[in-house]
Amino acid sequence: MHAVCHDVLFSLDLWTQQLWPRLDGASKVAMRGVCSAMRSQVDGSRVEAVTSPASGFSGDDLSRALVRWPRTRHLTLLNVGGSFDLAPLATSSLAGLMSLTVRQAPHAATWDMEFSAGMAATVQGIDISGCTTLSSINCVSSCVQLRCLSMRSCVSSPDLSPLGACSQTLEELWMANNDQIENLDLLKACTGLRKLDIRGLYDLYEGADDLQLTCTQLADPWSVEVEGLVQKLRPTMPIATQLAAVAELLEEVENDCGFAEFAAAGAIPALLRLLGPASSADLMAAAAGALHRMAFLAAEEAENGNFDVTEAGALPALVLLLGQNSLAGVHAPAAIAIRKLANGVQNQTAIVATGAIPPLVELLGHESSAVIAAAARALHNLSSRHAQNKAVISTAVPTLVRLLGHELSADVQMAAAGAQRSLAANHAQNQSAYANAGAIPSLVQLLGSNSLAVVQEAAAGALRDLADNHVQNQADIAAAGAIPALEQLIGPNSSLGVQAAAAGALCNIAVNHAANKTSILALVQLLAPDSSADVQVAAADALCSMAAKHAQN
């Protein structure tokens, strides 16, 4: 309770100092009352933790606040913009401070810090990880009691000579991914060093080898420093560093270094932060691509699918990327990620509830074929075996039918036909909607020899689901000339996948429809031993349909 009250009071102190000139008389009286009431609950001699507001502060604000709380033992300073913010530390009357944590603001200028004699005499732990524009660690040269220093991912970190002053007390040194460190010779004087983390510093492997006699826990430079890598994704890092970190993260995850380990270290929220408007187009695309790949890996590793990614808030961020205002290059990765996430009823429902359908349908009109195909496949997965989603996504039917046109790429045609198949399966309303939108002639045309085999297979599959238990569609499909075209596709020149899809379409066209019960000879040939099991089953089902309630057959 004391620490919580103190944190709130410290923030109130800073904010009150900044806002006081703008407050009217009544507000000033109320603010004094709040601060007085809270101070009465706090014994200054027992205060331990102080955290500055995440919104930042000025040096004057910090100076006045620290005067009020001179016995602070643990100090955290956030959003540091430069040396002027930390100037009060050099003259502070703090005596008894044990730990200091500093996090710099995005795009902070080059900065340094200095401790007062009182602070330097007692501080035992300093954490400056992620402070990329820190010019030196000279402040530790007066810290005679320093036991732990964390300076991971400090891109501008200098040499280690200031550690000489605490060579007899230093026990832990964390400096993974600190690329500017050139050698470890100065650490040989640190006789008390027990933990040394130099993961990611591959050039220092031999130097680390010499320290093994004194370090009981020495991290292999070639091992993955997960937390340090995730820290490189922080908003305070240069864009080039963030891009490199995203690429390295993907590489490590692909090499089976553990999706769960990266997720536990906060990789997903860190990637989500990179989707914000402050990131460049390249960085947003890289982050969306990383989320897509991590979603796929989560689906493989977790029995509950992509629960970690979904719970971390990926869906709203990915849906945001689908919008018209998103930067170029992020639409396709975001749509692919959503497709991977839509691997179960729970996720399918959550994605649609988040508002993914309108922007996905909008992307079907995108100028890029890759984006169109990605959006169509996302709609395919979202509607698969989900009756409620099929009804919601039915608004995309006319657009998906237009995408079957020959002027578009084969990949778009295949994706559109696949989405149509998923939307029409076991859904009479969508079956009729597709027929009314003119899908049948377009699909029959795609069965021709000018289409690629993958497009023929997708078109035959779509016709199969349009004809399933739909008498009117059966008649319309036959009238459009589908039966002769499908008979051609079950011939020996077609792939096994095309043969199976064509046989399945002929089966559904013929069910309870006497006029369509033809194609017997061609189907019998598919029962030959050299046909695959899937083809034989599809052919047998089709023959069964053609024989049912048809005496002549």
Side-chain angles (χ1 to χ4, degrees):
M1 177 64 183
H2 291 291
V4 173
C5 284
H6 182 270
D7 281 353
V8 176
L9 273 173
F10 186 81
S11 296
L12 278 174
D13 280 336
L14 297 184
W15 290 329
T16 301
Q17 293 160 18
Q18 295 169 354
L19 296 176
W20 195 260
R22 305 178 189 176
L23 299 178
D24 57 24
S27 298
K28 290 180 180 179
V29 171
M31 185 63 73
R32 286 195 184 99
V34 170
C35 292
S36 176
M38 294 190 68
R39 284 196 181 92
S40 67
Q41 303 297 318
V42 182
D43 176 1
S45 65
R46 299 180 60 185
V47 168
E48 291 191 357
V50 168
T51 302
S52 73
S55 58
F57 54 90
S58 70
D60 291 340
D61 293 334
L62 177 62
S63 180
R64 286 192 291 267
L66 292 182
V67 168
R68 290 176 178 155
W69 307 103
R71 302 191 183 189
T72 300
R73 295 170 63 83
H74 306 284
L75 177 61
T76 299
L77 301 176
L78 307 175
N79 217 28
V80 172
S83 300
F84 54 89
D85 286 339
L86 301 177
L89 298 181
T91 57
S92 171
S93 59
L94 290 181
L97 184 72
M98 296 185 64
S99 71
L100 172 67
T101 299
V102 178
R103 294 291 182 263
Q104 72 176 42
H107 314 298
T110 301
W111 58 280
D112 206 343
M113 61 181 171
E114 182 181 351
F115 300 153
S116 66
M119 288 180 57
T122 59
V123 68
Q124 298 180 22
I126 297 176
D127 183 358
I128 49 176
S129 297
C131 293
T132 59
T133 57
L134 178 64
S135 62
S136 74
I137 57 170
N138 291 337
C139 57
V140 306
S141 62
S142 57
C143 298
V144 294
Q145 298 296 325
L146 188 64
R147 298 176 60 186
C148 177
L149 175 61
S150 179
M151 45 187 290
R152 293 179 292 188
S153 302
C154 290
V155 179
S156 298
S157 297
D159 64 82
L160 303 176
S161 57
L163 294 177
C166 51
S167 60
Q168 303 303 309
T169 61
L170 190 64
E171 297 179 359
E172 299 182 20
L173 180 57
W174 304 83
M175 51 185 188
N177 298 307
N178 208 329
D179 303 334
Q180 300 301 312
I181 297 177
E182 298 180 353
N183 64 73
L184 302 175
D185 293 341
L186 290 168
L187 297 183
K188 295 178 181 179
C190 298
T191 55
L193 193 62
R194 294 293 177 265
K195 295 182 181 179
L196 176 62
D197 182 8
I198 54 172
R199 284 174 283 187
L201 305 184
Y202 313 119
D203 295 337
L204 303 183
Y205 185 79
E206 293 183 2
D209 217 23
D210 297 335
L211 297 172
Q212 289 189 8
L213 293 177
T214 58
C215 292
T216 56
Q217 297 185 33
L218 176 64
D220 185 351
W222 297 95
S223 63
V224 181
E225 207 288 297
V226 176
E227 292 184 3
L229 186 56
V230 172
Q231 283 189 358
K232 286 188 174 182
L233 302 176
R234 292 168 58 87
T236 56
M237 292 291 179
I239 291 179
T241 300
Q242 294 170 323
L243 280 170
V246 172
E248 187 177 352
L249 184 150
L250 272 178
E251 181 180 357
E252 298 297 349
V253 171
E254 295 282 7
N255 290 335
D256 297 325
C257 289
F259 163 80
E261 187 177 3
F262 276 96
I268 294 170
L271 288 169
L272 290 174
R273 284 193 293 269
L274 298 183
L275 302 182
S279 298
S280 67
D282 290 343
L283 186 56
M284 291 179 70
L291 282 170
H292 144 236
R293 185 56 186 160
M294 294 188 78
F296 180 80
L297 293 173
E300 288 184 337
E301 295 185 11
E303 292 182 359
N304 61 346
N306 305 287
F307 184 75
D308 288 333
V309 180
T310 306
E311 192 175 60
L315 294 183
L318 291 171
V319 169
L320 181 65
L321 287 179
L322 297 175
Q324 289 182 327
N325 295 329
S326 296
L327 296 174
V330 301
H331 297 102
I336 293 171
I338 287 178
R339 174 171 67 91
K340 294 294 185 182
L341 284 166
N343 65 344
V345 174
Q346 181 178 351
N347 281 359
Q348 288 173 310
T349 302
I351 292 170
V352 172
T354 308
I357 302 306
L360 282 172
V361 174
E362 190 73 23
L363 289 180
L364 295 177
H366 198 276
E367 60 183 10
S368 167
S369 296
V371 173
I372 296 173
R377 290 190 173 98
L379 292 171
H380 179 166
N381 282 20
L382 287 170
S383 60
S384 179
R385 298 183 178 88
H386 198 298
Q388 184 177 354
N389 283 3
K390 290 178 190 287
V392 175
I393 302 173
S394 63
T395 57
V397 167
T399 304
L400 288 168
V401 171
R402 288 196 296 272
L403 294 178
L404 299 173
H406 279 282
E407 71 277 4
L408 298 171
S409 72
D411 192 42
V412 169
Q413 292 171 337
M414 180 173 60
Q420 175 178 318
R421 173 183 170 185
S422 178
L423 284 166
N426 300 315
H427 199 284
Q429 185 176 352
N430 282 353
Q431 287 176 308
S432 298
Y434 266 110
N436 294 335
I440 292 174
S442 297
L443 288 169
V444 172
Q445 192 172 10
L446 291 180
L447 299 175
S449 58
N450 292 331
S451 296
L452 297 177
V454 289
V455 175
Q456 293 173 330
E457 182 178 346
L463 288 170
R464 179 188 64 193
D465 287 320
L466 283 178
D468 188 25
N469 292 319
H470 199 292
V471 176
Q472 185 60 51
N473 281 1
Q474 289 173 314
D476 292 344
I477 291 171
I483 293 177
L486 290 168
E487 289 176 342
Q488 288 290 325
L489 294 182
I490 59 177
N493 294 328
S494 296
S495 67
L496 297 180
V498 171
Q499 289 177 333
L506 287 171
C507 171
N508 283 2
I509 292 171
V511 172
N512 298 323
H513 205 291
N516 292 346
K517 296 179 183 288
T518 59
S519 312
I520 292 179
L521 181 58
L523 289 167
V524 169
Q525 292 175 346
L526 293 183
L527 299 176
D530 58 345
S531 294
S532 71
D534 289 341
V535 172
Q536 291 173 334
V537 169
D541 288 343
L543 287 169
C544 181
S545 297
M546 292 177 184
K549 300 180 182 181
H550 198 290
Q552 185 176 353
N553 286 351

